[in-house]
């Protein structure tokens, strides 16, 4: 059985891990706030520049050309923002996941030691029960590892989908800009 000193050490480690996770979460939130402030500043500056450009337009063709010239950079900036947002979220999730995995591995080792200690002091004839307990622990560990692999695969698929979507949006904006530029050129 665990001694009071071991229990105290385990509780201290748990509290330290909790504070570490809280710090990681706040770092992620801080990065997100910085990203949003930077995006808001850029959007404000670009809106002011665009408003000035719209006010200096002399005819409809020039307005169409101006609008078309804004579309592609906007799509690229939106895709870049989304990529950065995903990087922040996945980075924070990965760090928290690593800490969680470490604690789970530590808990698994502690529980396995507890089972081994209990098995050594078990009365004669309880070998079957001890074997079943060890088998259950091994099955739980295998299930946890399977879940970890599935989550990793889902994360990889999500990242690939985000990148594909961002690239598609940029390509569509380029095509729309080219089409608008061609239409404006034909009218001239």
């Amino acid at each position: 059985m665990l001694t009071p000193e071991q229990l105290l050490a385990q509780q201290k480690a748990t509290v330290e891990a909790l504070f570490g996770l809280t710090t990681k979460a706040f770092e992620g939130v801080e990065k997100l706030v910085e990203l949003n402030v930077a995006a808001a500043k850029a959007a404000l500056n670009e809106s002011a520049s665009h408003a000035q450009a719209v006010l200096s337009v002399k005819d409809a063709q020039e307005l169409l050309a101006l609008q078309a010239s804004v579309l592609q950079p906007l799509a690229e900036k939106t895709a870049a923002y989304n990529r950065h947002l995903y990087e922040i979220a996945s980075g924070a999730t990965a760090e928290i996941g690593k800490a969680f995995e470490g604690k789970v591995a530590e808990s698994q080792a502690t529980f396995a030691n507890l089972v081994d200690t209990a098995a050594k002091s078990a009365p004669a004839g309880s070998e079957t029960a001890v074997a079943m307990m060890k088998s259950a622990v091994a099955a739980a560990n295998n299930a946890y590892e399977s879940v970890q692999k599935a989550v990793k695969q889902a994360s990889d698929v999500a990242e690939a989908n985000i990148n594909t979507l961002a690239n598609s949006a940029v390509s569509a904006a380029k095509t729309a800009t080219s089409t608008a530029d061609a239409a404006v050129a034909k009218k001239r």
Side-chain angles (χ1 to χ4, degrees), residues 11-141:
Q11 289 298 326
K12 183 180 177 184
T14 301
V15 169
E16 287 174 0
L18 180 62
F19 281 121
L21 291 175
T22 303
T23 300
K24 298 285 183 204
F26 275 112
E27 287 172 1
V29 169
E30 184 178 34
K31 288 177 184 177
L32 182 60
V33 168
E34 288 173 3
L35 174 65
N36 285 332
V37 167
K41 282 181 180 179
L44 185 61
N45 289 336
E46 290 168 12
S47 293
S49 297
H50 186 68
Q52 290 296 326
V54 167
L55 292 174
S56 67
V57 167
K58 295 182 177 51
D59 61 19
Q61 288 180 344
E62 198 174 332
L63 180 62
L64 285 173
L66 177 64
Q67 293 299 87
S69 70
V70 171
L71 184 61
Q72 183 179 344
L74 180 61
E76 290 171 354
K77 288 174 185 166
T78 301
Y81 173 84
N82 287 333
R83 278 191 212 108
H84 200 124
L85 185 62
Y86 179 77
E87 288 170 6
I88 291 170
S90 65
T93 302
E95 287 185 34
I96 290 171
K98 284 179 188 175
F100 180 73
E101 288 173 18
K103 285 312 252 179
V104 167
E106 185 180 311
S107 296
Q108 287 173 336
T110 301
F111 190 70
N113 287 337
L114 184 63
V115 169
D116 287 341
T117 302
K120 289 176 185 173
S121 62
S126 62
E127 292 83 15
T128 304
V130 170
M132 285 180 19
M133 177 65 99
K134 286 183 178 182
S135 178
V137 169
N141 290 343

